[in-house]
Short mmCIF file of all heavy atoms in Angstrom, two decimals:
data_model
loop_
_atom_site.label_atom_id
_atom_site.label_comp_id
_atom_site.label_asym_id
_atom_site.label_seq_id
_atom_site.Cartn_x
_atom_site.Cartn_y
_atom_site.Cartn_z
N LEU A 137 9.82 -1.47 -16.63
CA LEU A 137 10.46 -2.20 -17.71
C LEU A 137 10.76 -3.62 -17.26
O LEU A 137 11.26 -3.83 -16.15
CB LEU A 137 11.76 -1.51 -18.13
CG LEU A 137 11.63 -0.11 -18.74
CD1 LEU A 137 13.01 0.50 -18.93
CD2 LEU A 137 10.88 -0.17 -20.05
N ASP A 138 10.45 -4.58 -18.10
CA ASP A 138 10.75 -5.99 -17.83
C ASP A 138 11.08 -6.65 -19.16
O ASP A 138 10.21 -7.18 -19.84
CB ASP A 138 9.56 -6.66 -17.15
CG ASP A 138 9.86 -8.11 -16.76
OD1 ASP A 138 11.05 -8.48 -16.72
OD2 ASP A 138 8.91 -8.87 -16.49
N GLY A 139 12.38 -6.61 -19.53
CA GLY A 139 12.75 -7.13 -20.84
C GLY A 139 12.12 -6.30 -21.93
O GLY A 139 12.22 -5.07 -21.94
N GLU A 140 11.45 -6.96 -22.88
CA GLU A 140 10.80 -6.22 -23.95
C GLU A 140 9.46 -5.63 -23.55
O GLU A 140 8.86 -4.85 -24.30
CB GLU A 140 10.58 -7.15 -25.18
CG GLU A 140 9.45 -8.15 -25.04
CD GLU A 140 9.84 -9.38 -24.23
OE1 GLU A 140 10.95 -9.40 -23.66
OE2 GLU A 140 9.04 -10.33 -24.18
N SER A 141 8.98 -5.97 -22.36
CA SER A 141 7.69 -5.47 -21.90
C SER A 141 7.86 -4.13 -21.18
O SER A 141 8.83 -3.91 -20.46
CB SER A 141 7.04 -6.47 -20.94
OG SER A 141 6.79 -7.70 -21.59
N VAL A 142 6.89 -3.25 -21.39
CA VAL A 142 6.92 -1.95 -20.74
C VAL A 142 5.51 -1.58 -20.32
O VAL A 142 4.53 -1.84 -21.03
CB VAL A 142 7.51 -0.86 -21.68
CG1 VAL A 142 6.66 -0.69 -22.94
CG2 VAL A 142 7.64 0.47 -20.94
N TRP A 143 5.40 -1.01 -19.13
CA TRP A 143 4.14 -0.46 -18.63
C TRP A 143 4.35 1.04 -18.47
O TRP A 143 5.30 1.47 -17.79
CB TRP A 143 3.75 -1.07 -17.30
CG TRP A 143 3.30 -2.50 -17.38
CD1 TRP A 143 2.00 -2.95 -17.40
CD2 TRP A 143 4.12 -3.67 -17.41
NE1 TRP A 143 1.98 -4.33 -17.46
CE2 TRP A 143 3.27 -4.80 -17.47
CE3 TRP A 143 5.50 -3.88 -17.41
CZ2 TRP A 143 3.74 -6.10 -17.51
CZ3 TRP A 143 5.99 -5.17 -17.46
CH2 TRP A 143 5.12 -6.26 -17.51
N LEU A 144 3.50 1.85 -19.07
CA LEU A 144 3.64 3.30 -19.04
C LEU A 144 2.36 3.93 -18.50
O LEU A 144 1.25 3.52 -18.88
CB LEU A 144 3.92 3.84 -20.44
CG LEU A 144 5.18 3.33 -21.14
CD1 LEU A 144 5.19 3.76 -22.60
CD2 LEU A 144 6.42 3.83 -20.41
N TYR A 145 2.51 4.92 -17.62
CA TYR A 145 1.35 5.61 -17.08
C TYR A 145 1.11 6.90 -17.85
O TYR A 145 2.02 7.72 -18.02
CB TYR A 145 1.55 5.93 -15.60
CG TYR A 145 0.34 6.63 -15.00
CD1 TYR A 145 -0.88 5.98 -14.89
CD2 TYR A 145 0.43 7.95 -14.57
CE1 TYR A 145 -1.99 6.61 -14.37
CE2 TYR A 145 -0.68 8.59 -14.03
CZ TYR A 145 -1.89 7.92 -13.94
OH TYR A 145 -2.98 8.56 -13.42
N ASP A 146 -0.12 7.08 -18.33
CA ASP A 146 -0.51 8.29 -19.05
C ASP A 146 -1.42 9.09 -18.13
O ASP A 146 -2.60 8.79 -17.96
CB ASP A 146 -1.24 7.92 -20.34
CG ASP A 146 -1.65 9.15 -21.14
OD1 ASP A 146 -1.27 10.27 -20.75
OD2 ASP A 146 -2.34 8.99 -22.16
N GLU A 147 -0.86 10.12 -17.49
CA GLU A 147 -1.62 10.90 -16.51
C GLU A 147 -2.79 11.63 -17.16
O GLU A 147 -3.85 11.81 -16.53
CB GLU A 147 -0.70 11.90 -15.82
CG GLU A 147 -1.37 12.67 -14.69
CD GLU A 147 -0.41 13.60 -13.99
OE1 GLU A 147 0.76 13.71 -14.42
OE2 GLU A 147 -0.82 14.23 -13.00
N ALA A 148 -2.65 12.05 -18.42
CA ALA A 148 -3.70 12.81 -19.08
C ALA A 148 -4.99 12.02 -19.19
O ALA A 148 -6.09 12.57 -19.07
CB ALA A 148 -3.23 13.26 -20.47
N SER A 149 -4.87 10.70 -19.42
CA SER A 149 -6.07 9.88 -19.57
C SER A 149 -6.30 8.95 -18.38
O SER A 149 -7.28 8.22 -18.35
CB SER A 149 -5.98 9.03 -20.84
OG SER A 149 -4.85 8.17 -20.80
N GLY A 150 -5.38 8.97 -17.41
CA GLY A 150 -5.54 8.11 -16.24
C GLY A 150 -5.43 6.64 -16.55
O GLY A 150 -6.12 5.82 -15.95
N ARG A 151 -4.53 6.28 -17.50
CA ARG A 151 -4.42 4.89 -17.93
C ARG A 151 -3.00 4.37 -17.74
O ARG A 151 -2.04 5.12 -17.85
CB ARG A 151 -4.76 4.73 -19.41
CG ARG A 151 -6.17 5.08 -19.80
CD ARG A 151 -6.34 4.89 -21.30
NE ARG A 151 -5.45 5.78 -22.06
CZ ARG A 151 -5.14 5.59 -23.35
NH1 ARG A 151 -5.62 4.56 -24.01
NH2 ARG A 151 -4.35 6.45 -23.98
N TRP A 152 -2.90 3.09 -17.45
CA TRP A 152 -1.65 2.35 -17.63
C TRP A 152 -1.74 1.66 -18.98
O TRP A 152 -2.76 1.05 -19.32
CB TRP A 152 -1.46 1.32 -16.52
CG TRP A 152 -0.91 1.88 -15.25
CD1 TRP A 152 -1.61 2.31 -14.16
CD2 TRP A 152 0.47 2.07 -14.94
NE1 TRP A 152 -0.75 2.76 -13.19
CE2 TRP A 152 0.53 2.63 -13.63
CE3 TRP A 152 1.66 1.83 -15.63
CZ2 TRP A 152 1.73 2.94 -13.01
CZ3 TRP A 152 2.87 2.15 -15.02
CH2 TRP A 152 2.90 2.70 -13.73
N LEU A 153 -0.67 1.78 -19.77
CA LEU A 153 -0.61 1.13 -21.08
C LEU A 153 0.51 0.10 -21.07
O LEU A 153 1.54 0.28 -20.42
CB LEU A 153 -0.37 2.16 -22.18
CG LEU A 153 -1.48 3.21 -22.34
CD1 LEU A 153 -1.04 4.51 -21.71
CD2 LEU A 153 -1.83 3.43 -23.80
N TYR A 154 0.29 -0.98 -21.81
CA TYR A 154 1.28 -2.04 -21.92
C TYR A 154 1.78 -2.11 -23.35
O TYR A 154 1.01 -2.02 -24.31
CB TYR A 154 0.67 -3.40 -21.53
CG TYR A 154 1.57 -4.56 -21.88
CD1 TYR A 154 2.67 -4.86 -21.08
CD2 TYR A 154 1.35 -5.33 -23.02
CE1 TYR A 154 3.52 -5.91 -21.40
CE2 TYR A 154 2.19 -6.38 -23.35
CZ TYR A 154 3.27 -6.67 -22.53
OH TYR A 154 4.11 -7.70 -22.86
N GLY A 155 3.09 -2.29 -23.49
CA GLY A 155 3.67 -2.43 -24.81
C GLY A 155 4.71 -3.53 -24.82
O GLY A 155 5.36 -3.80 -23.81
N ASP A 156 4.88 -4.15 -25.99
CA ASP A 156 5.88 -5.21 -26.14
C ASP A 156 6.76 -4.97 -27.36
O ASP A 156 7.40 -5.88 -27.86
CB ASP A 156 5.22 -6.58 -26.24
CG ASP A 156 4.26 -6.68 -27.42
OD1 ASP A 156 4.17 -5.71 -28.20
OD2 ASP A 156 3.62 -7.74 -27.58
N GLY A 157 6.82 -3.73 -27.82
CA GLY A 157 7.62 -3.41 -28.99
C GLY A 157 6.83 -3.41 -30.28
O GLY A 157 7.21 -2.74 -31.25
N SER A 158 5.73 -4.15 -30.32
CA SER A 158 4.91 -4.20 -31.53
C SER A 158 3.57 -3.52 -31.36
O SER A 158 2.90 -3.19 -32.32
CB SER A 158 4.68 -5.66 -31.96
OG SER A 158 3.98 -6.36 -30.95
N ARG A 159 3.16 -3.32 -30.12
CA ARG A 159 1.86 -2.69 -29.87
C ARG A 159 1.89 -2.01 -28.51
O ARG A 159 2.69 -2.35 -27.64
CB ARG A 159 0.73 -3.73 -29.90
CG ARG A 159 0.88 -4.79 -28.82
CD ARG A 159 -0.18 -5.86 -28.94
NE ARG A 159 0.01 -6.91 -27.95
CZ ARG A 159 -0.47 -6.89 -26.72
NH1 ARG A 159 -1.19 -5.85 -26.33
NH2 ARG A 159 -0.26 -7.88 -25.88
N LEU A 160 1.02 -1.03 -28.34
CA LEU A 160 0.84 -0.36 -27.06
C LEU A 160 -0.65 -0.18 -26.87
O LEU A 160 -1.33 0.43 -27.69
CB LEU A 160 1.54 1.00 -27.05
CG LEU A 160 1.53 1.75 -25.72
CD1 LEU A 160 2.38 1.02 -24.69
CD2 LEU A 160 2.05 3.17 -25.90
N SER A 161 -1.18 -0.75 -25.80
CA SER A 161 -2.63 -0.73 -25.60
C SER A 161 -2.95 -0.53 -24.14
O SER A 161 -2.11 -0.73 -23.26
CB SER A 161 -3.26 -2.04 -26.10
OG SER A 161 -2.68 -3.15 -25.44
N THR A 162 -4.18 -0.10 -23.88
CA THR A 162 -4.62 0.14 -22.51
C THR A 162 -4.56 -1.15 -21.70
O THR A 162 -5.06 -2.18 -22.11
CB THR A 162 -6.06 0.68 -22.49
OG1 THR A 162 -6.09 1.93 -23.19
CG2 THR A 162 -6.53 0.91 -21.07
N TYR A 163 -3.93 -1.06 -20.53
CA TYR A 163 -3.78 -2.22 -19.65
C TYR A 163 -4.71 -2.10 -18.45
O TYR A 163 -5.30 -3.08 -18.01
CB TYR A 163 -2.32 -2.31 -19.20
CG TYR A 163 -2.02 -3.49 -18.32
CD1 TYR A 163 -1.94 -4.78 -18.85
CD2 TYR A 163 -1.82 -3.33 -16.96
CE1 TYR A 163 -1.65 -5.86 -18.04
CE2 TYR A 163 -1.53 -4.41 -16.14
CZ TYR A 163 -1.44 -5.68 -16.68
OH TYR A 163 -1.16 -6.75 -15.89
N ALA A 164 -4.85 -0.92 -17.90
CA ALA A 164 -5.71 -0.69 -16.74
C ALA A 164 -5.96 0.80 -16.62
O ALA A 164 -5.24 1.61 -17.20
CB ALA A 164 -5.05 -1.21 -15.46
N VAL A 165 -7.01 1.15 -15.89
CA VAL A 165 -7.29 2.55 -15.60
C VAL A 165 -7.16 2.78 -14.11
O VAL A 165 -7.45 1.89 -13.30
CB VAL A 165 -8.69 2.96 -16.09
CG1 VAL A 165 -8.76 2.91 -17.60
CG2 VAL A 165 -9.78 2.10 -15.48
N ALA A 166 -6.68 3.97 -13.73
CA ALA A 166 -6.45 4.25 -12.32
C ALA A 166 -7.73 4.59 -11.58
O ALA A 166 -7.86 4.32 -10.39
CB ALA A 166 -5.46 5.42 -12.19
N GLU A 167 -8.71 5.17 -12.25
CA GLU A 167 -9.98 5.52 -11.66
C GLU A 167 -11.10 5.15 -12.62
O GLU A 167 -10.88 5.00 -13.82
CB GLU A 167 -10.05 7.03 -11.35
CG GLU A 167 -9.01 7.52 -10.35
CD GLU A 167 -9.32 7.12 -8.92
OE1 GLU A 167 -10.42 6.56 -8.68
OE2 GLU A 167 -8.48 7.35 -8.04
N GLY A 168 -12.31 5.01 -12.09
CA GLY A 168 -13.46 4.73 -12.94
C GLY A 168 -13.81 5.92 -13.81
O GLY A 168 -13.28 7.01 -13.62
N PRO A 169 -14.69 5.75 -14.80
CA PRO A 169 -15.04 6.84 -15.71
C PRO A 169 -15.69 7.99 -14.97
O PRO A 169 -16.52 7.79 -14.08
CB PRO A 169 -16.00 6.18 -16.71
CG PRO A 169 -16.58 5.02 -15.97
CD PRO A 169 -15.48 4.54 -15.07
N GLY A 170 -15.30 9.21 -15.33
CA GLY A 170 -15.90 10.39 -14.72
C GLY A 170 -15.37 10.73 -13.36
O GLY A 170 -15.83 11.70 -12.75
N VAL A 171 -14.38 9.98 -12.85
CA VAL A 171 -13.82 10.25 -11.52
C VAL A 171 -12.60 11.12 -11.69
O VAL A 171 -11.69 10.80 -12.44
CB VAL A 171 -13.44 8.95 -10.79
CG1 VAL A 171 -12.77 9.27 -9.46
CG2 VAL A 171 -14.67 8.10 -10.58
N THR A 172 -12.57 12.25 -10.97
CA THR A 172 -11.43 13.14 -10.98
C THR A 172 -10.62 12.92 -9.74
O THR A 172 -11.12 13.07 -8.62
CB THR A 172 -11.87 14.61 -11.05
OG1 THR A 172 -12.66 14.80 -12.23
CG2 THR A 172 -10.66 15.54 -11.09
N SER A 173 -9.37 12.54 -9.90
CA SER A 173 -8.51 12.27 -8.76
C SER A 173 -8.18 13.55 -8.04
O SER A 173 -7.81 14.55 -8.65
CB SER A 173 -7.21 11.58 -9.20
OG SER A 173 -7.50 10.36 -9.82
N ALA A 174 -8.32 13.53 -6.71
CA ALA A 174 -7.93 14.68 -5.90
C ALA A 174 -6.42 14.74 -5.80
O ALA A 174 -5.75 13.72 -5.88
CB ALA A 174 -8.55 14.58 -4.51
N PRO A 175 -5.86 15.96 -5.63
CA PRO A 175 -4.40 16.05 -5.47
C PRO A 175 -3.93 15.21 -4.31
O PRO A 175 -4.57 15.17 -3.26
CB PRO A 175 -4.17 17.56 -5.22
CG PRO A 175 -5.39 18.24 -5.77
CD PRO A 175 -6.52 17.26 -5.57
N GLU A 176 -2.82 14.52 -4.51
CA GLU A 176 -2.31 13.66 -3.46
C GLU A 176 -1.70 14.49 -2.35
O GLU A 176 -1.06 15.50 -2.60
CB GLU A 176 -1.24 12.73 -4.03
CG GLU A 176 -1.78 11.72 -5.00
CD GLU A 176 -0.69 10.77 -5.43
OE1 GLU A 176 0.37 10.75 -4.78
OE2 GLU A 176 -0.88 10.05 -6.42
N PRO A 177 -1.88 14.07 -1.07
CA PRO A 177 -1.22 14.76 0.03
C PRO A 177 0.27 14.50 -0.01
O PRO A 177 0.75 13.58 -0.67
CB PRO A 177 -1.87 14.12 1.27
CG PRO A 177 -2.29 12.76 0.82
CD PRO A 177 -2.69 12.93 -0.63
N THR A 178 1.02 15.33 0.72
CA THR A 178 2.46 15.14 0.79
C THR A 178 2.76 13.78 1.39
O THR A 178 2.22 13.41 2.42
CB THR A 178 3.09 16.23 1.67
OG1 THR A 178 2.78 17.50 1.10
CG2 THR A 178 4.60 16.06 1.74
N ARG A 179 3.60 12.99 0.72
CA ARG A 179 3.89 11.64 1.16
C ARG A 179 4.78 11.68 2.39
O ARG A 179 5.77 12.40 2.43
CB ARG A 179 4.55 10.84 0.04
CG ARG A 179 3.60 10.53 -1.12
CD ARG A 179 4.33 9.71 -2.17
NE ARG A 179 3.42 9.24 -3.20
CZ ARG A 179 3.10 9.96 -4.26
NH1 ARG A 179 3.59 11.16 -4.42
NH2 ARG A 179 2.28 9.45 -5.17
N ALA A 180 4.45 10.83 3.35
CA ALA A 180 5.25 10.75 4.57
C ALA A 180 6.44 9.82 4.39
O ALA A 180 7.39 9.87 5.13
CB ALA A 180 4.39 10.27 5.74
N GLY A 181 6.39 8.96 3.41
CA GLY A 181 7.47 8.00 3.22
C GLY A 181 7.24 7.19 1.98
O GLY A 181 6.21 7.32 1.31
N PRO A 182 8.16 6.31 1.62
CA PRO A 182 8.05 5.55 0.37
C PRO A 182 6.94 4.54 0.37
O PRO A 182 6.56 4.04 -0.68
CB PRO A 182 9.42 4.87 0.26
CG PRO A 182 9.92 4.79 1.68
CD PRO A 182 9.41 6.03 2.35
N ASP A 183 6.36 4.20 1.54
CA ASP A 183 5.30 3.20 1.57
C ASP A 183 3.94 3.79 1.29
O ASP A 183 2.96 3.08 1.18
CB ASP A 183 5.27 2.50 2.95
CG ASP A 183 6.51 1.66 3.16
OD1 ASP A 183 7.10 1.23 2.16
OD2 ASP A 183 6.87 1.47 4.32
N THR A 184 3.85 5.14 1.24
CA THR A 184 2.58 5.80 0.99
C THR A 184 2.49 6.14 -0.47
O THR A 184 3.32 6.86 -0.99
CB THR A 184 2.47 7.09 1.82
OG1 THR A 184 2.69 6.76 3.19
CG2 THR A 184 1.12 7.75 1.63
N ALA A 185 1.46 5.62 -1.15
CA ALA A 185 1.33 5.86 -2.58
C ALA A 185 -0.12 6.03 -2.93
O ALA A 185 -0.98 5.35 -2.41
CB ALA A 185 1.92 4.68 -3.38
N GLY A 186 -0.42 7.00 -3.83
CA GLY A 186 -1.78 7.22 -4.30
C GLY A 186 -2.16 6.19 -5.32
O GLY A 186 -1.35 5.35 -5.73
N PRO A 187 -3.42 6.25 -5.83
CA PRO A 187 -3.90 5.23 -6.76
C PRO A 187 -3.19 5.25 -8.09
O PRO A 187 -3.21 4.28 -8.81
CB PRO A 187 -5.39 5.59 -6.92
CG PRO A 187 -5.46 7.04 -6.55
CD PRO A 187 -4.43 7.24 -5.49
N SER A 188 -2.53 6.37 -8.43
CA SER A 188 -1.88 6.45 -9.72
C SER A 188 -0.37 6.36 -9.62
O SER A 188 0.34 6.62 -10.57
CB SER A 188 -2.25 7.79 -10.40
OG SER A 188 -3.62 7.87 -10.59
N ALA A 189 0.15 6.04 -8.43
CA ALA A 189 1.60 5.98 -8.26
C ALA A 189 2.16 4.78 -9.00
O ALA A 189 1.53 3.74 -9.08
CB ALA A 189 1.94 5.87 -6.77
N PRO A 190 3.38 4.91 -9.55
CA PRO A 190 3.99 3.78 -10.25
C PRO A 190 4.19 2.60 -9.31
O PRO A 190 4.57 2.77 -8.16
CB PRO A 190 5.33 4.36 -10.72
CG PRO A 190 5.16 5.83 -10.69
CD PRO A 190 4.19 6.11 -9.59
N PRO A 191 3.92 1.38 -9.76
CA PRO A 191 4.11 0.21 -8.92
C PRO A 191 5.58 -0.15 -8.81
O PRO A 191 6.42 0.34 -9.55
CB PRO A 191 3.33 -0.88 -9.66
CG PRO A 191 3.46 -0.46 -11.10
CD PRO A 191 3.44 1.04 -11.10
N ALA A 192 5.88 -1.07 -7.89
CA ALA A 192 7.26 -1.49 -7.72
C ALA A 192 7.69 -2.50 -8.76
O ALA A 192 8.85 -2.80 -8.89
CB ALA A 192 7.45 -2.08 -6.31
N GLY A 193 6.78 -3.05 -9.51
CA GLY A 193 7.11 -4.03 -10.53
C GLY A 193 5.92 -4.21 -11.45
O GLY A 193 4.94 -3.49 -11.36
N PRO A 194 5.98 -5.18 -12.37
CA PRO A 194 4.85 -5.41 -13.27
C PRO A 194 3.57 -5.63 -12.48
O PRO A 194 3.57 -6.23 -11.42
CB PRO A 194 5.27 -6.68 -14.04
CG PRO A 194 6.76 -6.65 -13.99
CD PRO A 194 7.11 -6.05 -12.65
N VAL A 195 2.47 -5.09 -13.00
CA VAL A 195 1.20 -5.09 -12.30
C VAL A 195 0.19 -5.91 -13.07
O VAL A 195 0.37 -6.22 -14.24
CB VAL A 195 0.68 -3.66 -12.11
CG1 VAL A 195 1.59 -2.88 -11.18
CG2 VAL A 195 0.55 -2.95 -13.45
N GLU A 196 -0.89 -6.21 -12.39
CA GLU A 196 -1.97 -6.98 -13.03
C GLU A 196 -3.26 -6.27 -12.76
O GLU A 196 -3.54 -5.85 -11.63
CB GLU A 196 -2.02 -8.38 -12.47
CG GLU A 196 -3.10 -9.25 -13.13
CD GLU A 196 -3.08 -10.68 -12.65
OE1 GLU A 196 -2.17 -11.04 -11.90
OE2 GLU A 196 -3.99 -11.41 -13.02
N ALA A 197 -4.09 -6.09 -13.79
CA ALA A 197 -5.37 -5.41 -13.65
C ALA A 197 -6.47 -6.44 -13.58
O ALA A 197 -6.47 -7.42 -14.30
CB ALA A 197 -5.60 -4.47 -14.83
N HIS A 198 -7.43 -6.20 -12.69
CA HIS A 198 -8.57 -7.10 -12.55
C HIS A 198 -9.84 -6.27 -12.64
O HIS A 198 -9.97 -5.27 -11.97
CB HIS A 198 -8.54 -7.82 -11.20
CG HIS A 198 -7.36 -8.73 -11.05
ND1 HIS A 198 -7.32 -10.01 -11.55
CD2 HIS A 198 -6.16 -8.53 -10.46
CE1 HIS A 198 -6.16 -10.57 -11.27
NE2 HIS A 198 -5.43 -9.68 -10.62
N GLN A 199 -10.79 -6.72 -13.45
CA GLN A 199 -12.09 -6.08 -13.53
C GLN A 199 -13.14 -7.16 -13.52
O GLN A 199 -13.22 -7.96 -14.44
CB GLN A 199 -12.21 -5.24 -14.80
CG GLN A 199 -13.55 -4.51 -14.88
CD GLN A 199 -13.67 -3.70 -16.16
OE1 GLN A 199 -13.14 -4.10 -17.18
NE2 GLN A 199 -14.37 -2.61 -16.11
N THR A 200 -13.92 -7.23 -12.47
CA THR A 200 -14.92 -8.27 -12.32
C THR A 200 -16.28 -7.72 -12.68
O THR A 200 -16.64 -6.60 -12.31
CB THR A 200 -14.95 -8.81 -10.88
OG1 THR A 200 -15.28 -7.74 -10.00
CG2 THR A 200 -13.58 -9.36 -10.50
N ARG A 201 -17.06 -8.54 -13.37
CA ARG A 201 -18.40 -8.11 -13.76
C ARG A 201 -19.36 -8.18 -12.59
O ARG A 201 -20.45 -7.64 -12.65
CB ARG A 201 -18.88 -8.97 -14.92
CG ARG A 201 -18.10 -8.74 -16.19
CD ARG A 201 -18.45 -9.73 -17.25
NE ARG A 201 -19.88 -9.73 -17.54
CZ ARG A 201 -20.43 -10.53 -18.43
NH1 ARG A 201 -19.69 -11.34 -19.14
NH2 ARG A 201 -21.73 -10.50 -18.64
N ASP A 202 -19.01 -8.88 -11.51
CA ASP A 202 -19.89 -8.95 -10.35
C ASP A 202 -19.87 -7.65 -9.56
O ASP A 202 -20.79 -7.36 -8.80
CB ASP A 202 -19.46 -10.10 -9.43
CG ASP A 202 -19.69 -11.44 -10.09
OD1 ASP A 202 -20.59 -11.51 -10.96
OD2 ASP A 202 -18.99 -12.39 -9.73
#
Side-chain angles (χ1 to χ4, degrees):
L137 295 173
D138 183 17
E140 75 279 8
S141 298
V142 61
W143 289 261
L144 300 170
Y145 181 65
D146 181 6
E147 185 177 4
S149 60
R151 297 179 298 162
W152 278 95
L153 298 102
Y154 169 78
D156 59 4
S158 62
R159 62 185 177 87
L160 185 68
S161 57
T162 298
Y163 182 74
V165 294
E167 298 286 353
V171 176
T172 302
S173 299
E176 292 185 14
T178 301
R179 291 181 172 86
D183 293 334
T184 305
S188 300
V195 294
E196 182 176 354
H198 296 277
Q199 182 181 33
T200 61
R201 292 172 56 181
D202 293 334

